[in-house]
Amino acid sequence: MRIGFVGTGRIASALVTGLCSAGLSPRSILISPRNAEVAARLTDRFPQVSVAPDNQSVLDGSDWVVLSLRPPMAEDVVSGLLFRAEHRVISVMAMVPLAALQRLAAPARSFVRALTLPSVAGRSGPVLVCPGNEEFAAFLGALGTPVTVPDERQFEVLWAMTAMIAPYYALVQRSATWAEGHGVEPGAARSYAAGFYHSIAQALDGADDFAPLIAEAQTPGGLNEQALRTLTDTGWFETLNPVLDAILARVSDV
């Protein structure tokens, strides 16, 4: 298996790291030269990784091609490349629909869009695939838990959810800052906040219904019941929908 990466940013780096430790044993991984710092780090760490002289060389030396470019660059970069019909193409680019991908990467015939998080470096977290394809899902499943959806509308809805990463981290930071404001030593506040939120998130693994977790976390008259009631009564949760709706409109605006 020969894998090529056009684009060498954070997600591409995470994918390469995950693939090199996933037991897939790719014969070679070619990466584009655009980000010299990332490229050097990956080649120093993994012997099967090498830097191609240009993007076309990535395609020429690969059977599987991962497109990991920022959306504004996609049209110019991908349209200038010569694909082969037998290429298997995985796009992890936002706001580039399958129709555009098929046009840009013709005559290649096998395509999926995938949404991968930085956690794929440790082979964890969800890996969203659209459309459902057993070969692609099996390949990407080595990097996390594959989640397949049949159409791009559902894909975009779930992609919009990724906009909550920074707000989630901000919640952790705000909790630590609040503790510091009440006299807790900063190192202890940050360490506890990080460990606390991480530990409670682990209860979500394998859960297909979150209501029982909400119920189990509360006792009558308890602290969690008070906090949830106060946030609900003040409309705190209701602010989430318009935020995600705006993100979805942006993701879908192609």
Side-chain angles (χ1 to χ4, degrees):
M1 178 184 292
R2 302 180 305 165
I3 306 169
F5 283 81
V6 177
T8 326
R10 185 183 182 195
I11 293 300
S13 178
L15 284 164
V16 171
T17 301
L19 286 169
C20 288
S21 56
L24 292 176
S25 300
R27 192 169 80 205
S28 68
I29 295 179
L30 275 174
I31 58 178
S32 56
R34 180 174 176 82
N35 191 321
E37 181 180 348
V38 172
R41 185 166 64 246
L42 292 172
T43 54
D44 287 346
R45 184 175 178 186
F46 304 112
Q48 63 267 59
V49 176
S50 57
V51 182
D54 51 52
N55 288 327
Q56 185 59 52
S57 298
V58 171
L59 269 65
D60 295 343
S62 303
D63 307 306
W64 293 69
V65 179
V66 180
L67 300 177
S68 181
L69 298 161
R70 296 182 64 182
M73 302 171 56
E75 179 84 24
D76 289 342
V77 174
V78 180
S79 64
L81 299 175
L82 299 176
F83 288 80
R84 301 192 303 272
E86 64 270 20
H87 270 138
R88 292 169 175 82
V89 181
I90 299 171
S91 169
V92 294
M93 302 183 293
M95 297 182 282
V96 181
L98 280 170
L101 185 64
Q102 291 164 347
R103 171 178 57 83
L104 291 170
R109 296 186 296 266
S110 297
F111 304 88
V112 291
R113 293 182 69 186
L115 170 56
T116 58
L117 303 173
S119 59
V120 296
R123 291 175 291 144
S124 65
V127 178
L128 185 62
V129 182
C130 175
N133 178 297
E134 289 186 7
E135 184 180 26
F136 283 103
F139 173 76
L140 291 165
L143 297 168
T145 303
V147 177
T148 61
V149 291
D151 61 72
E152 287 187 281
R153 177 60 178 178
Q154 295 182 52
F155 184 84
E156 290 165 351
V157 169
L158 296 178
W159 195 301
M161 196 183 298
T162 66
M164 298 306 296
I165 295 173
Y168 175 76
Y169 290 146
L171 175 62
V172 180
Q173 181 187 45
R174 181 63 63 90
S175 299
T177 301
W178 171 84
E180 292 176 36
H182 284 271
V184 177
E185 190 274 323
R190 295 167 195 160
S191 179
Y192 185 80
F196 168 70
Y197 282 102
H198 178 72
S199 66
I200 62 174
Q202 291 178 320
L204 297 170
D205 290 345
D208 57 6
D209 183 0
F210 308 130
L213 294 175
I214 298 171
E216 290 167 9
Q218 302 176 75
T219 55
L223 304 179
N224 276 268
E225 182 187 66
Q226 176 184 342
L228 180 61
R229 182 178 63 250
T230 301
L231 291 172
T232 301
D233 290 347
T234 58
W236 192 78
F237 294 103
E238 296 305 315
T239 64
L240 182 62
N241 281 9
V243 169
L244 288 175
D245 285 343
I247 297 296
L248 176 59
R250 181 178 174 187
V251 169
S252 304
D253 184 18
V254 293

